[in-house]
Amino acid sequence: MGLIVQKYGGTSVGDVERIKNVAKKVAQYKAQGHGLVVVLSAMSGKTDELIKLAYQITDEPSERELDMLISTGERITIPLLAMALQSLGLKAVSLTGRQSGIFTDSMYTKARITKIAKENVQKYLHDDYIVVVAGFQGVDESSNVTTLGRGGSDTTAVALAVALSADKCEIYTDVDGVYTTDPNVVPQARRIERISYEEMLEMASLGAKVLQTRSVEFAAKYRMPVVVKSTFKDGPGTWVVEEEADMEKVAVSSVVYDKNQAKLTVVGVPDKPGIAAKIFNAIARAEINVDMIIQNVSVTALTDLSLTVPRAEAGKAMKLLESAANEIEAKSVMIDEEIGKVSIVGVGMRSHTGVAAKFFSLMADANINIEMISTSEIKVSCVIRKGDVDRAVRILHAGFHLGGGEPRVEQAH
Ligand code: ADP
Ligand code: ASP
Ligand code: MG
């Protein structure tokens, strides 16, 4: 029998009863003879609660200390599961990120895994232990504790699966697979049986939080099969795999939204060469992920430049932009936190035309104003008012016939 890496998310380990339930599930897999590494998140709400504590102390917590703090959520769940497994008569050991050999760079709060020194985990596996690993955390080369960004336990799991050459990585969560859109927003959403790495990567990076983007990057790069399943009910789940021939038949396979973005606008920017480079270099050095950019053509000698960033980084981006604005003699910087993003994704867009036009018409018919647009070969994204997001998602989902009982083959030509 081979090796499986399983990951259980926050809701799945949300209280002691649920942890005992996870222990029972893990015991069943163990009984089938598999080697098992089990990656856990913190109890649901715990990471948010810890972040709030930090902000009760200071408006600007040091990111190093923040990581020390928020990594503790996972320190609670892992020994509890190990104890629950031991109570079932199984050999189990809990390991922190450091004890699991997970090394990262020093980009606190969104560190990247650079290396996995797998010997310790392998030693326990060899001795037939179930190895319970704290997700979301690692250490940098100077032994500072780092975290991998929100949802980072997914990445811990896939990266460990790759490092240990596991047969597959199973992500257990509170939904029974990846859906055509968030099933908590659109009840008609349908579970997707198989999705390509590329589509899943777009979905994750556009805001579908069911898998963290970097976990999909790892899976795609090393061709690790990942399956997303429910902790609470049995079923086939969704397989994330290499693209298959019939996946292109559908132009649009999912609708994604993101309400955690902010728009920053540098007002009164002198319209001359080199200015955009100055503005974006400042942001890039801080490794802030800029999503959409719009610069208007200027009628006068001045123009405005808008960009979107994750809301959690908007404050930091604002400061950097203010000092860049000063340097380039722009007038001011404005922030808008009331935006949201809706996107459609599908590898079939490569071969179907008219998809973007249909998106815009659906928004126009619903009187939803589009503020920014960005496209790639397999996605169309628009920034709209945050208050319109849920309605836009429902309209797009119905408009592209993604709901149950409707034809899935998109006719737009
Ligand atoms: P966990 O704590 O298990 O990691 P998350 O909350 O991070 O779980 O991710 C699961 C959630 O992702 C679901 O409850 C659902 O609301 C949301 N979600 C967003 N888009 C989708 C989608 N297309 N398919 C499935 N779930 C989605
Ligand atoms: N506990 C972390 C978070 O809430 C990591 C995770 O759950 O994957 O983001
Ligand atoms: Mg998650």
Side-chain angles (χ1 to χ4, degrees):
M1 283 286 159
L3 176 70
I4 303 180
V5 176
Q6 300 187 328
K7 175 254 172 179
Y8 293 87
T11 324
S12 311
V13 294
D15 58 34
V16 166
E17 282 316 309
R18 288 187 171 183
I19 290 176
K20 287 185 184 168
N21 172 49
V22 168
K24 279 194 205 132
K25 275 183 80 92
V26 171
Q28 282 165 9
Y29 286 106
K30 187 66 190 161
Q32 292 168 11
H34 300 295
L36 276 177
V37 174
V38 180
V39 175
L40 295 189
S41 289
M43 291 180 180
S44 56
K46 191 70 190 176
T47 311
D48 288 333
E49 187 189 310
L50 293 166
I51 293 173
K52 270 196 202 121
L53 283 180
Y55 282 90
Q56 281 169 26
I57 300 275
T58 163
D59 285 342
E60 288 185 28
S62 128
E63 290 187 327
R64 181 190 182 281
E65 302 312 324
L66 201 55
D67 272 359
M68 276 296 266
L69 177 67
I70 65 180
S71 65
T72 60
E74 276 73 9
R75 277 293 289 269
I76 297 171
T77 49
I78 53 162
L80 290 174
L81 180 67
M83 290 172 202
L85 288 166
Q86 288 163 1
S87 316
L88 297 175
L90 294 159
K91 278 167 86 173
V93 63
S94 63
L95 300 177
T96 63
R98 182 198 181 91
Q99 292 170 327
S100 311
I102 297 174
F103 286 92
T104 71
D105 61 20
S106 303
M107 244 326 136
Y108 297 117
T109 74
K110 52 179 178 181
R112 281 174 185 274
I113 296 177
T114 49
K115 177 176 85 185
I116 297 189
K118 58 190 175 192
E119 295 71 25
N120 201 27
V121 173
Q122 275 179 326
K123 186 193 81 191
Y124 280 110
L125 283 173
H126 183 260
D127 292 341
D128 207 31
Y129 279 84
I130 298 168
V131 184
V132 184
V133 174
F136 180 54
Q137 57 180 264
V139 285
D140 71 5
E141 292 292 342
S142 312
S143 296
N144 296 300
V145 173
T146 54
T147 66
L148 309 179
R150 299 307 304 269
S153 301
D154 299 330
T155 301
T156 307
V158 179
L160 271 172
V162 168
L164 297 165
S165 306
D167 297 324
K168 60 180 170 180
C169 181
E170 299 178 332
I171 306 284
Y172 286 93
T173 181
D174 57 359
V175 282
D176 64 350
V178 178
Y179 275 67
T180 48
T181 194
D182 187 343
N184 290 318
V185 172
V186 182
Q188 294 81 9
R190 288 192 303 133
R191 184 175 54 80
I192 301 170
E193 295 278 333
R194 297 169 79 77
I195 187 168
S196 67
Y197 290 120
E198 200 184 352
E199 277 175 315
M200 192 63 239
L201 194 57
E202 279 287 8
M203 284 180 73
S205 63
L206 291 168
K209 63 177 185 152
V210 60
L211 285 176
Q212 199 200 31
T213 307
R214 284 199 195 141
S215 72
V216 189
E217 277 169 10
F218 262 106
K221 186 165 173 195
Y222 297 99
R223 301 292 174 225
M224 173 57 63
V226 172
V227 61
V228 178
K229 290 183 174 198
S230 164
T231 306
F232 306 102
K233 80 176 206 226
D234 288 337
T238 297
W239 283 92
V240 189
V241 292
E242 293 209 51
E243 190 174 323
E244 294 163 357
D246 64 349
M247 286 177 177
E248 283 225 2
K249 283 191 194 142
V250 184
V252 175
S253 56
S254 65
V255 178
V256 187
Y257 67 90
D258 187 349
K259 295 182 189 172
N260 288 310
Q261 295 265 316
K263 181 166 86 176
L264 296 163
T265 302
V266 190
V267 183
V269 178
D271 197 8
K272 56 185 187 201
I275 295 289
K278 276 203 176 118
I279 291 177
F280 287 101
N281 279 338
I283 301 261
R285 272 195 299 274
E287 294 210 18
I288 295 173
N289 197 357
V290 174
D291 183 13
M292 294 198 199
I293 301 168
I294 282 194
Q295 181 175 3
N296 296 330
V297 180
S298 71
V299 189
T300 62
L302 296 178
T303 182
D304 294 345
L305 191 148
S306 293
L307 52 107
T308 60
V309 295
R311 207 174 60 225
E313 300 193 290
K316 195 165 158 191
M318 178 88 181
K319 278 207 183 108
L320 294 166
L321 285 182
E322 275 170 345
S323 78
N326 221 353
E327 202 186 313
I328 59 174
E329 294 177 349
K331 279 193 184 136
S332 61
V333 184
M334 281 174 3
I335 183 163
D336 179 355
E337 296 190 282
E338 288 308 308
I339 61 155
K341 188 169 65 180
V342 278
S343 312
I344 52 174
V345 176
V347 283
M349 268 185 230
R350 292 192 205 111
S351 49
H352 290 70
T353 54
V355 177
K358 180 165 177 184
F359 185 144
F360 305 148
S361 303
L362 287 167
M363 294 298 97
D365 293 345
N367 206 17
I368 294 173
N369 189 37
I370 296 172
E371 300 177 26
M372 293 167 111
I373 299 170
S374 126
T375 62
S376 80
E377 219 189 0
I378 65 161
K379 71 127 200 258
V380 180
S381 271
C382 289
V383 166
I384 59 176
R385 285 293 94 200
K386 194 188 281 183
D388 286 333
V389 166
D390 286 3
R391 196 161 60 94
V393 169
R394 283 195 289 270
I395 288 166
L396 290 168
H397 194 264
F400 283 101
H401 309 300
L402 296 175
E406 291 171 309
R408 286 208 69 205
V409 179
E410 181 48 51
Q411 299 300 333
H413 275 291

